[in-house]
Amino acid sequence: MRTQVAIVGSGPAGLLLGQLLHKAGIDNVIVDRASKAHILGRVRAGVLEDGMARQLTAVGAGGRMAAEALVHDGVWLAFMGRRFRLDLKAHTGKSVLIYGQTEVTHDLMDARERAGLMTIYSAENVRPHDFDGESPSVTYDTDGIEKRIDCAFIAGCDGQHGVCRKSLPEGATTVFERVYPFGWLGLLADVPPVSEELVYANHDRGFALCSMRSRARSRYYIQCRTDERVEDWSDDAFWDELRRRLPPDAAESVTTGPSFEKSIAPLRSFVIEPVRFGRLFLAGDAGHIVPPTGAKGLNLAASDVHYLAEAFGEYYADGSEEGLRAYSEKALGRAWKAVRFSWWMTNLLHRFPDAAPFERRMQETELAYLSQSERAAAAMAENYVGLPY
Ligand code: FAD
Ligand code: DHB
């Protein structure tokens, strides 16, 4: 098989890149090791910046989002038994959309199918080859038979455990990493959310987040230890712990019900530099991971592929390699700011096991400052809605 861009990974980064390239008349094939059903079964992020929303609309995958997403003009921050509202719209003129990553993936897959573009799911042993030369390829196995996709470029959109980053020669890259000493236990239930807008809570017992997927479906998270197991958390134990960590008015409005998904995610910050090696370009979680606190992971995948599609577009329109050369710096320039913001929000809101009383006071004081200073609030709002690209 031959294509212009072979995309490894059918998550949001790979799928959106595929549609952007298609719009620019650039042929692409996606290959993923997972099945379509498995990918659609993953529950992950839920907050879209307007840059991502604009891109989904531009590639013809924004119809359902426009009809179903909730527009949020603010978020709540809770600490010491009270909460205050961060007015995103007033500070930035922008809002965020509540629309699940599962739905984004669904809509992009539908758009890809309508465009008649090729995706290979359940591919085994996917591997990128010869990307340091002129003729790269991607190989994979189906039913024990090896297949090869010859291409001009490879886009590594295969997430944090993917094969593309691991295929880079040792010494060609630098890794920056921070592993946090806790995880998030998430629960999804068909119950009305506790509040019209998201609530991020700092509490002595640990962080809690009240999010949602719709007016009838809630997504909640509580900070947990990294050695805890989902099986050890009954729904009742989760609801009790969540209520303990919320201010009284919010705790009283929690509607409980049976969960239909529960999972634990570890938290880490990770960046590899550069995200280009020869004809292999990394985008999304393949190149950087952020802790979920700032809701940035999914949105970063979208800005990366925006820069990447622009670079491929220039190359195929007039042969210019300028954009390809600039890709790593441009994508990482924006990504590092989201890495910083996610790290800052994580530090602000979580209970660190070894935190001294001094550090707790610093968190409380920073939250008090955010609630009182228009300028501090504006800086947070600008980052939360997403920096421009
Ligand atoms: P992915 O969505 O990970 O897609 C990568 C794709 O590559 C997958 O389909 C995978 O099957 C495929 N793949 C992997 N390895 C190979 C291989 N060897 N060969 C072929 N294909 C391969 N972000 C938030 O903002 N908020 C959240 O609440 C949140 N929760 C999360 C919870 C979890 C458990 C995880 C893992 C992530 C979460 N994130 C969250 C982050 C967000 O979901 C990611 O940033 C986003 O999915 C990145 O998109 P991506 O396309 O780069 O990677
Ligand atoms: C969700 C996840 C986040 O990490 C976040 O900051 C806000 C919302 C969610 O899954 O709904």
Side-chain angles (χ1 to χ4, degrees):
M1 206 184 318
R2 181 150 198 104
T3 189
Q4 288 170 307
V5 181
I7 301 174
V8 183
S10 173
L15 287 164
L16 181 57
L17 177 64
Q19 290 314 111
L20 291 167
L21 294 180
H22 174 64
K23 247 192 84 199
I26 301 166
D27 188 36
N28 63 88
V29 172
I30 296 184
V31 53
D32 198 299
R33 70 175 172 191
S35 69
K36 191 173 173 182
H38 177 86
I39 295 168
L40 285 171
R42 290 192 296 229
V43 179
R44 290 183 171 179
V47 179
L48 307 190
E49 296 174 354
D50 82 339
M52 164 130 222
R54 267 189 286 111
Q55 291 204 78
L56 288 173
T57 308
V59 299
R64 207 159 59 95
M65 175 186 70
E68 295 177 14
L70 303 176
V71 180
H72 281 194
D73 293 341
V75 294
W76 291 88
L77 293 168
F79 70 113
M80 299 177 81
R82 61 192 181 89
R83 58 171 159 157
F84 68 94
R85 184 170 180 269
L86 182 72
D87 194 329
L88 302 171
K89 187 77 184 261
H91 286 299
T92 66
K94 289 183 189 160
S95 313
V96 292
L97 290 185
I98 302 303
Y99 194 64
Q101 179 168 335
T102 316
E103 310 310 319
V104 170
T105 308
H106 208 294
D107 297 347
L108 284 167
M109 282 179 173
D110 285 354
R112 187 165 180 86
E113 230 162 85
R114 282 198 302 275
L117 300 172
M118 182 162 192
T119 312
I120 299 135
Y121 290 111
S122 307
E124 287 160 29
N125 196 21
V126 178
R127 269 178 308 165
H129 304 277
D130 302 327
F131 44 82
D132 50 350
E134 292 295 307
S135 315
S137 63
V138 172
T139 58
Y140 61 95
D141 299 344
T142 39
D143 304 324
I145 298 166
E146 188 180 278
K147 310 265 171 67
R148 196 178 79 233
I149 308 170
D150 292 320
C151 54
F153 299 102
I154 301 172
C157 301
D158 48 350
Q160 62 171 315
H161 303 298
V163 65
C164 290
R165 190 183 66 239
K166 289 181 197 142
S167 307
L168 297 178
E170 233 175 278
T173 52
T174 310
V175 166
F176 302 84
E177 185 171 27
R178 163 138 315 168
V179 175
Y180 301 90
F182 38 72
W184 279 18
L185 169 63
L187 172 146
L188 201 57
D190 278 333
V191 292
V194 78
S195 140
E196 290 253 314
E197 295 170 338
L198 270 53
V199 183
Y200 290 85
N202 172 313
H203 190 275
D204 272 338
R205 297 180 65 90
F207 170 76
L209 168 59
C210 309
S211 181
M212 64 194 76
R213 291 292 175 271
S214 69
R215 292 206 169 81
R217 178 167 292 182
S218 299
R219 177 71 166 160
Y220 291 108
Y221 298 95
I222 53 176
Q223 174 184 345
C224 62
R225 292 193 320 272
T226 44
D227 60 357
E228 287 187 88
R229 296 179 332 147
V230 179
E231 300 76 46
D232 297 335
W233 278 91
S234 67
D235 285 0
D236 284 345
F238 184 98
W239 292 121
D240 287 345
E241 187 56 31
L242 174 72
R243 280 183 294 219
R244 280 190 205 111
R245 298 184 186 185
L246 298 177
D249 66 320
E252 275 162 28
S253 344
V254 172
T255 308
T256 63
S259 70
F260 61 91
E261 199 268 351
K262 258 194 284 191
S263 51
I264 291 181
L267 267 69
R268 73 177 176 137
S269 302
F270 174 96
V271 182
I272 189 168
E273 282 184 359
V275 284
R276 175 208 178 165
F277 189 85
R279 289 176 169 256
L280 172 62
F281 296 79
L282 302 178
D285 277 14
H288 39 68
I289 312 290
V290 289
T293 325
K296 291 289 164 235
L298 172 61
N299 293 296
L300 275 181
S303 56
D304 279 0
V305 299
H306 162 79
Y307 295 128
L308 190 52
E310 219 173 49
F312 284 141
E314 273 173 40
Y315 176 81
Y316 280 109
D318 53 29
S320 161
E321 293 195 19
E322 198 66 19
L324 295 175
R325 271 196 293 272
Y327 168 70
S328 186
E329 207 176 317
K330 262 193 191 170
L332 285 177
R334 186 172 189 279
W336 268 116
K337 295 189 189 89
V339 171
R340 183 204 70 83
F341 180 65
S342 307
W343 161 84
W344 174 80
M345 255 186 98
T346 302
N347 285 328
L348 178 68
L349 295 170
H350 290 78
R351 177 100 182 102
F352 283 72
D354 57 354
F358 175 82
E359 279 142 344
R360 287 293 292 153
R361 279 283 186 277
M362 284 297 101
Q363 287 184 329
E364 288 161 9
T365 307
E366 181 133 19
L367 282 158
Y369 175 55
L370 279 165
S371 72
Q372 289 154 1
S373 160
E374 287 295 305
R375 290 197 176 104
M380 178 169 178
E382 172 183 53
N383 283 277
Y384 192 85
V385 301
L387 296 173
Y389 57 95

